[in-house]
């Protein structure tokens, strides 16, 4: 018996009615019986065809969903890897700049201090994503299956 949880709900369409001619003795003619059988077979075929068509649509949607989820996960993995590398590099750069600032403060070298502070400000103004460019272009590139990303 089919699973009733996924049963469709709605109003059934009215049957295509044809008048049966009942003879004087209350019998249906062989032609009318054959016509009824043909309608039954035709309706069953149509129902099977609709079911197959809708099943195919569901399978295509499921495949599309799985493909998009896989693309999102791959993009996430690449972006996480990128951020890990960039922030690791930036962490080391921050450390060196602030160590340099401490050294210039201790030595009293004002020119060197200005240079180091300029480097800190420049680093603070840049974002890891600023190097990528326009995020709209990035999204378009991600939508294009032929785009190759190099890190």
């Amino acid at each position: 018996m089919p699973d009733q949880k996924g049963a469709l709900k709605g109003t059934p369409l009215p049957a295509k009615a044809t008048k049966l001619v009942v003879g004087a003795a209350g019998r249906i003619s062989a032609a009318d019986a054959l016509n009824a059988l043909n309608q039954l077979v035709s309706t069953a075929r149509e129902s099977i065809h609709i079911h197959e068509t809708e099943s195919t649509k569901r399978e295509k949607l499921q495949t599309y969903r799985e493909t998009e989820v896989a693309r999102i996960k791959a993009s996430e993995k690449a972006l996480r890897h990128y951020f890990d590398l960039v922030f690791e590099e930036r962490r080391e750069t921050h450390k060196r700049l602030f160590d340099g600032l401490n050294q210039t403060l201790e030595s009293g070298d004002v020119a060197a201090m200005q240079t180091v502070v300029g480097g800190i400000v420049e680093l603070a103004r840049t974002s890891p994503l600023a190097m990528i460019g326009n995020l709209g272009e990035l999204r378009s590139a991600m939508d294009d299956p032929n785009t190759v990303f190099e890190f």
Side-chain angles (χ1 to χ4, degrees):
M1 176 169 237
D3 184 14
Q4 294 299 316
K5 289 181 183 177
L8 300 177
K9 296 180 181 178
T11 306
L13 296 174
K16 295 179 185 174
T18 58
K19 291 193 174 209
L20 294 176
V21 177
V22 180
R27 294 186 183 182
I28 299 173
S29 70
D32 287 335
L34 181 59
N35 187 30
L37 178 62
N38 285 336
Q39 284 184 355
L40 179 68
V41 171
S42 176
T43 302
R45 282 186 183 152
E46 185 179 340
S47 295
I48 291 169
H49 176 72
I50 290 171
H51 180 267
E52 288 174 352
T53 301
E54 295 304 314
S55 294
T56 301
K57 287 179 185 178
R58 280 190 296 278
E59 287 175 21
K60 284 181 181 178
L61 286 173
Q62 181 66 24
T63 301
Y64 175 76
R65 179 188 176 279
E66 290 170 0
T67 302
E68 290 302 307
V69 167
R71 285 181 63 197
I72 289 168
K73 287 184 179 190
S75 296
E76 176 191 4
K77 183 179 177 182
L79 194 57
R80 281 180 179 265
H81 181 66
Y82 172 77
F83 280 146
D84 288 347
L85 294 175
V86 168
F87 287 114
E88 178 78 27
E89 178 183 302
R90 289 173 73 86
R91 181 181 14 240
E92 184 60 31
T93 303
H94 289 142
K95 182 182 180 317
R96 288 184 182 176
L97 283 170
F98 283 102
D99 287 349
L101 180 62
N102 288 335
Q103 289 174 354
T104 60
L105 288 172
E106 288 175 13
S107 70
D109 186 351
V110 175
M113 188 184 317
Q114 287 176 331
T115 303
V116 171
V117 169
I120 291 171
V121 169
E122 184 61 30
L123 189 61
R125 283 191 310 140
T126 61
S127 162
L129 291 178
M131 294 180 285
I132 293 176
N134 183 341
L135 291 180
E137 291 174 11
L138 176 63
R139 177 64 194 161
S140 296
M142 289 175 68
D143 286 339
D144 182 2
N146 297 320
T147 301
V148 176
F149 292 95
E150 293 182 27
F151 294 101

